[in-house]
Amino acid sequence: MSALCDENALDVLCPMHLILDAAGGIVHAGPTLKKMLGHRRLIGTQFFDLFQVKRPRAIDTLEDLRGVCGVKLRLALVHTPETTLKGIVVAATAVPDRLILNLSFGISLIDAVRDYQLNNADFAATDLAIEMLYLVEAKTAAMEASRHLNLRLQGAKITAEEQAFTDTLTGLKNRRALERVLSRLIEGRRPFAVMQIDLDFFKAVNDTMGHAAGDHVLQTVAQIMIEETRSADTVARMGGDEFAVVLPDVRSEKILRQVGRRVIDRIEKPIAFQDDLCRISASIGTVWIQSDQRPSIEQLLSDADVALYASKHAGRARHTLYTSDLRRVANKTVPPLTKQRNS
């Protein structure tokens, strides 16, 4: 009866204990160990068939185990999952030839709770493991909340940055975004081209058909430019009816002229708006930068503007590549060309 009372008390106070007989067989096991090893036979099984003592080393027999009474042990279950345990063994007082081994999980607690689906009822009421579990759960919840908050803040930041670099009417990049792209390409010493595109007769559409028609035209032109360029290219609205296209890694003047021709041909097609047609065209000025050139952004855009003026002067719906000769001509004819460009 005394031994039975001891076993009942141990089940409450130490739910992960084992009682071994003089031959090393398990004669009693705490409820938590029974739960963990429910698919295996515990009572009558030899201790060393289920457990391996890793520290101290060379504990392979019951006599070895008796020799380390009171010493902290490190053990492991020999079956899957291989759970690491800590324990201490003492001689039973009621039945001296028996050993009592009390076990705990130590730092493997969280894994054990997951692997064996343990809950607070599987631990002694005074076991600090419960508090540790609550702390881990609280920390996990706090970290998850923090992660979600960070994701929302990051998303808001990305959205704000995108808005700061996006033209709200067309959805294209704006001038600020264009300058960042140009700066990166110049510093990278890569060949690239910049097309500056101005819509011809756009003012007439706005004046005769209204700003709604003008906005529709700008949105349609933006879509045309996206369709006629590569995904690696950058299409931007500079403001008003002025656009720019940046084409990285361009290695042929023929390619530039083909792209320009496609854009002009598409834009010259009448654009339907309500029951009317909007008729415009496009003039293009292009600067082709080689890998050994490092112009300033201001100079680059100014050169593209000069080439654009030349296209306007030649009769609109033209595409002109910049040369230094164009600037000498432009310096003599800027006043009348400015009037032409705005029409």
Side-chain angles (χ1 to χ4, degrees), residues 66-117:
R66 289 184 188 278
V68 291
C69 284
V71 176
K72 185 184 293 185
L73 306 177
R74 185 176 171 219
L75 309 93
L77 291 172
V78 297
H79 64 84
T80 303
E82 185 178 328
T83 305
T84 300
L85 299 165
K86 291 188 176 182
I88 190 167
V89 62
V90 296
T93 56
V95 185
D97 62 343
R98 292 187 176 185
L99 294 178
I100 300 175
L101 181 67
N102 192 34
L103 303 173
S104 66
F105 293 111
I107 61 173
S108 64
L109 171 65
I110 297 174
D111 292 336
V113 169
R114 179 197 62 220
D115 293 339
Y116 300 107
Q117 300 182 351

Side-chain angles (χ1 to χ4, degrees), residues 151-211:
L151 288 175
R152 288 199 299 271
L153 291 175
Q154 186 67 19
K157 180 182 178 182
I158 292 172
T159 300
E161 289 177 348
E162 288 178 348
Q163 291 175 347
F165 293 105
T166 302
D167 175 64
T168 55
L169 177 63
T170 63
L172 300 177
K173 302 297 184 184
N174 58 20
R175 186 185 183 100
R176 184 179 175 187
L178 175 69
E179 291 179 353
R180 289 188 63 174
V181 171
L182 293 177
S183 177
R184 186 168 63 249
L185 289 172
I186 292 170
E187 290 299 321
R189 296 181 179 273
R190 296 164 53 192
F192 67 95
V194 179
M195 290 183 172
Q196 192 152 313
I197 303 168
D198 187 82
L199 302 185
D200 306 316
F201 314 113
F202 178 75
K203 185 174 183 299
V205 171
N206 255 346
D207 291 346
T208 60
M209 301 178 66
H211 290 291

Side-chain angles (χ1 to χ4, degrees), residues 195-203 221 225 238-244 263-264 267 280-285 305 308-309 311-312 316-318 340-343:
M195 290 183 172
Q196 192 152 313
I197 303 168
D198 187 82
L199 302 185
D200 306 316
F201 314 113
F202 178 75
K203 185 174 183 299
V221 167
M225 292 184 186
M238 304 284 283
D241 60 344
E242 295 183 30
F243 297 82
V263 170
I264 291 173
I267 292 177
I280 61 170
S281 61
S283 297
I284 304 176
D305 205 46
L308 175 59
Y309 275 123
S311 293
K312 291 279 190 179
R316 300 184 178 88
R318 306 292 178 88
Q340 274 193 330
R341 184 179 178 187
N342 292 335
S343 61

